[in-house]
Amino acid sequence: MLFQIFDAFKPRLHDSNSKVNQVALETMHKMIPLLKDNLSPVINMLIPAMVDNNLNSKNPGIYAAATNVIQALCQHLDNSLLLQPFCTKAQFLNGKAKQDLTEKLA
């Protein structure tokens, strides 16, 4: 069930319409504290969708929402669940996104 929900939700996290993208990130931010470690089965699918393009976005609303999502993940999920997906993404990011994710890893 969780996979079906997030398979449908994931494309909104990197939608070409910036308003849809931002609302999806803000919604994800609200869901993380509610779902917490129950997100573990889908975390490897969600992190790339939340990080790709969003942490390097020139749109301040999208960047802020993406940063808030990463912060919420760090606060509400077991850090061991985040280590591998964050490391993998940090290897292939550039610019501000790489810096932001590297700081979270540290």
Side-chain angles (χ1 to χ4, degrees):
M1 179 71 165
L2 196 63
F3 280 105
Q4 293 170 324
I5 292 168
F6 283 101
D7 276 343
F9 184 72
K10 184 179 108 173
R12 304 296 68 84
L13 292 167
H14 47 82
D15 199 280
S16 59
N17 181 323
S18 62
K19 290 180 183 176
V20 171
N21 187 357
Q22 184 173 341
V23 169
L25 287 164
E26 291 168 354
T27 302
M28 191 70 222
H29 181 250
K30 292 175 187 174
M31 287 191 293
I32 291 168
L34 301 173
L35 296 172
K36 298 183 181 180
D37 289 339
N38 292 322
L39 285 172
S40 63
V42 294
I43 202 70
N44 288 327
M45 168 183 65
L46 288 176
I47 287 178
M50 291 183 281
V51 171
D52 290 349
N53 301 321
N54 295 324
L55 281 180
N56 273 333
S57 179
K58 297 196 185 328
N59 179 320
I62 290 174
Y63 175 76
T67 303
N68 288 340
V69 166
I70 298 300
Q71 183 65 36
L73 286 170
C74 292
Q75 285 179 328
H76 297 285
L77 270 73
D78 182 348
N79 288 338
S80 66
L81 295 172
L82 302 173
L83 185 60
Q84 185 61 46
F86 277 10
C87 284
T88 301
K89 286 312 305 172
Q91 288 177 337
F92 300 105
L93 291 171
N94 55 34
K96 183 101 174 98
K98 184 172 192 119
Q99 179 183 344
D100 289 346
L101 213 50
T102 303
E103 286 175 9
K104 287 296 175 201
L105 280 166

